[in-house]
Amino acid sequence: MQKTTIAILGAGAWGIALADLASANGHQVRVWSRRRVANLETVIQGAEIILSAIAMKGVSDVVSQIQSFPLSPQTIFVTATKGLDPKTTCTPSQIWQTAFPHHPVVVLSGPNLSKEIQQSLPAATVVASHNTAAAEFVQLVFSSPRFRVYTNPDPLGVELGGTLKNIIAIAAGVCDGLHLGTNAKAALVTRGLTEMVRIGNSWGAKTETFYGLSGLGDLLATCNSPLSRNYQVGYQMTLGQTLPEILANLPGTAEGVNTCQVLVQRAKHHNIAVPITEQVYRLLQGEVTTRQALEELMLRDIKPEYK
Ligand SMILES: NC(=O)c1ccc[n+]([C@@H]2O[C@H](COP(=O)([O-])OP(=O)(O)OC[C@H]3O[C@@H](n4cnc5c(N)ncnc54)[C@H](O)[C@@H]3O)[C@@H](O)[C@H]2O)c1
Ligand SMILES: O=P(O)(O)OC[C@H](O)CO
């Protein structure tokens, strides 16, 4: 394909990994971060794709900065952030789409631990949009023999898969830290997926999306890898560290910590049962210990598997 100009916003672990993938495919890549000298307006000027790999806490601010700059009407926005806005509970793609209603917005999400991608290990991801042509264009830009990119027409489901699994990954870290065994881990991940589908459906996402790469795929990756920062948060809580201590030493962002709070709020408002999320929330708040959280989950009222 022809050379594309891509502006990558966010020079964290994921922004840099995506920049390297696009550069390796011969595209012209410019990276912006709040800590670099490059000017945001200059970086996005003439870009055919603006890809955001900014942590959730910075998304709204960067979106409003870009709103004041001139853009080509063809510019495609790609969002790779896995979080929820604490004020509105909106997803990053909803924030981008509201700010730029006439531009295509594509969600990029999948089982993509950046460290493995930086080691050139093979991986697959999903690009999802209501604009099929935009998703196919982004698919071409990033596809390579070491990065297999699928398209999907359910951007909300793809985005929520990557976001909701972070909370289950915190719980999986606790499960491994307490040495609860393989049966417990399988139960947690499976019931976690049920919780993700329940929340996703209430939001309007399709069930089948959660059984794909961006849902189950990302859940398996993050719940089974010490490379996951969210998993690390849960694991380290079993070692008796406090949340502020863990976050102070964590390399990068664990979005699940803030997502959990937003989700509990949203679940309460919409009357959705989210028992695992609730226990992770109470644990992060210091209201229960890891052992008490486990006990509360195991002693819930017995019920049918599907209800
Ligand atoms: N690292 C991964 O393996 C991976 C993979 C897929 C998705 N993600 C998602 O990508 C996002 C970024 O993850 P990361 O690992 O690169 O995190 P990181 O902590 O390494 O980098 C975060 C980036 O966001 C920027 N940022 C933070 N607050 C900001 C603000 N207020 N204004 C402007 N910029 C701000 C930082 O400067 C940095 O460039 C997260 O939502 C994460 O869930 C990460
Ligand atoms: O390190 P984590 O927990 O943010 O996980 C990174 C990616 O989301 C894995 O796909």
Side-chain angles (χ1 to χ4, degrees):
M1 80 174 294
Q2 70 182 55
K3 208 158 121 176
T4 303
T5 304
I6 306 166
I8 305 246
L9 313 182
W14 192 217
I16 294 299
L18 287 166
D20 289 350
L21 284 169
S23 296
N25 281 357
H27 302 294
Q28 196 199 15
V29 178
R30 303 179 201 142
V31 178
W32 174 86
S33 106
R34 62 189 169 149
R35 300 196 198 286
R36 292 191 178 191
V37 280
N39 169 280
L40 179 56
E41 184 171 8
T42 314
V43 168
I44 65 167
Q45 203 166 42
E48 290 147 279
I49 291 177
I50 297 177
L51 184 153
S52 163
I54 294 168
M56 188 66 233
K57 62 178 186 230
V59 171
S60 290
D61 178 42
V62 173
V63 165
S64 42
Q65 285 185 58
I66 295 181
Q67 275 183 303
S68 62
F69 303 142
L71 282 177
S72 148
Q74 274 84 44
T75 306
I76 297 170
F77 288 99
V78 179
T79 168
T81 303
K82 295 177 175 175
L84 294 173
D85 183 73
K87 275 199 211 120
T88 60
T89 77
C90 282
T91 69
S93 76
Q94 290 171 335
I95 297 172
W96 285 101
Q97 195 70 81
T98 304
F100 300 99
H102 305 300
H103 288 261
V105 174
V106 177
V107 172
L108 186 154
S109 192
N112 297 151
L113 295 156
S114 60
K115 267 230 168 99
E116 292 189 358
I117 289 174
Q118 288 294 55
Q119 290 164 4
S120 298
L121 292 169
T125 203
V126 182
V127 287
S129 180
H130 295 302
N131 184 323
T132 308
E136 286 173 353
F137 184 71
V138 177
Q139 178 183 41
L140 273 177
V141 165
F142 283 96
S143 290
S144 73
R146 66 182 175 101
F147 199 58
R148 188 164 169 76
V149 185
Y150 291 85
T151 56
N152 183 302
D154 179 18
L156 181 63
V158 166
E159 195 170 33
L160 286 176
T163 296
L164 303 179
K165 60 82 192 171
N166 284 334
I167 294 151
I168 311 303
I170 296 174
V174 171
C175 186
D176 285 357
L178 292 177
H179 305 289
L180 301 181
T182 309
N183 294 332
K185 183 80 163 288
L188 173 72
V189 171
T190 310
R191 293 309 298 172
L193 183 59
T194 304
E195 204 162 301
M196 287 165 59
V197 170
R198 204 182 286 145
I199 300 160
N201 284 165
S202 82
W203 219 299
K206 291 185 192 143
T207 301
E208 70 201 45
T209 309
F210 292 93
Y211 296 113
L213 282 169
S214 56
L216 178 61
D218 207 357
L219 189 62
L220 292 176
T222 36
C223 288
N224 290 305
S225 174
L227 290 178
S228 158
R229 285 83 46 96
N230 289 289
Y231 173 97
Q232 279 299 338
V233 168
Y235 191 92
Q236 289 175 32
M237 290 206 87
T238 66
L239 306 179
Q241 293 190 58
T242 65
L243 184 60
E245 283 166 356
I246 296 167
L247 295 181
N249 295 312
L250 200 71
T253 308
E255 296 279 22
V257 172
N258 290 332
T259 302
C260 196
Q261 184 158 5
V262 182
L263 212 55
V264 164
Q265 198 183 306
R266 193 183 161 101
K268 206 172 271 172
H269 189 252
H270 293 274
N271 204 19
I272 310 162
V274 290
I276 300 170
T277 305
E278 248 164 44
Q279 288 308 321
V280 172
Y281 176 71
R282 297 188 65 208
L283 178 67
L284 296 174
Q285 293 295 310
E287 292 173 10
V288 287
T289 64
T290 49
R291 283 274 167 203
Q292 284 166 337
L294 166 68
E295 203 168 295
E296 297 228 3
L297 280 174
M298 293 303 285
L299 293 179
R300 292 173 61 235
D301 287 348
I302 49 177
K303 63 190 274 290
E305 185 176 19
Y306 292 109
K307 196 180 167 218

